[in-house]
């Protein structure tokens, strides 16, 4: 995300400044933040799912968690 931001954001900021005036870069920055948080939340959800699968527990050698012990 960082490398993509360095490659895309400067041109996008300039274009939005020309098109929308002073609020253009704000719109671009907010769009970028939404993209970053979407990636972060997706990674958290995917990690939760993978950690709860049987094949992952078998790969790391752990038994499933139970409340009874």
């Amino acid at each position: 995300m960082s490398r993509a931001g360095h490659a895309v954001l400067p041109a996008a900021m300039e274009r939005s400044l020309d098109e929308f005036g002073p609020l253009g870069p704000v719109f671009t920055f907010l769009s970028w933040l939404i993209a970053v948080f979407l990636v972060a939340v997706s990674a958290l959800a995917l990690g939760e799912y993978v950690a709860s699968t049987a094949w992952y527990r078998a790969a790391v050698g752990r038994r499933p968690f139970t409340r009874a012990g």
Side-chain angles (χ1 to χ4, degrees):
M1 290 294 293
S2 177
R3 289 184 186 190
H6 284 289
V8 173
L9 279 179
M13 289 283 196
E14 287 292 326
R15 188 175 53 241
S16 64
L17 181 63
D18 292 341
E19 191 171 334
F20 299 109
L23 281 179
V26 174
F27 296 148
T28 302
F29 184 68
L30 288 175
S31 298
W32 184 252
L33 282 178
I34 289 169
V36 168
F37 287 121
L38 180 63
V39 168
V41 168
S42 298
L44 288 169
L46 183 62
E48 166 77 23
Y49 172 73
V50 169
S52 68
T53 58
W55 66 265
Y56 177 77
R57 287 192 302 267
V60 296
R62 293 188 181 171
R63 289 185 287 154
F65 174 77
T66 60
R67 294 207 180 256

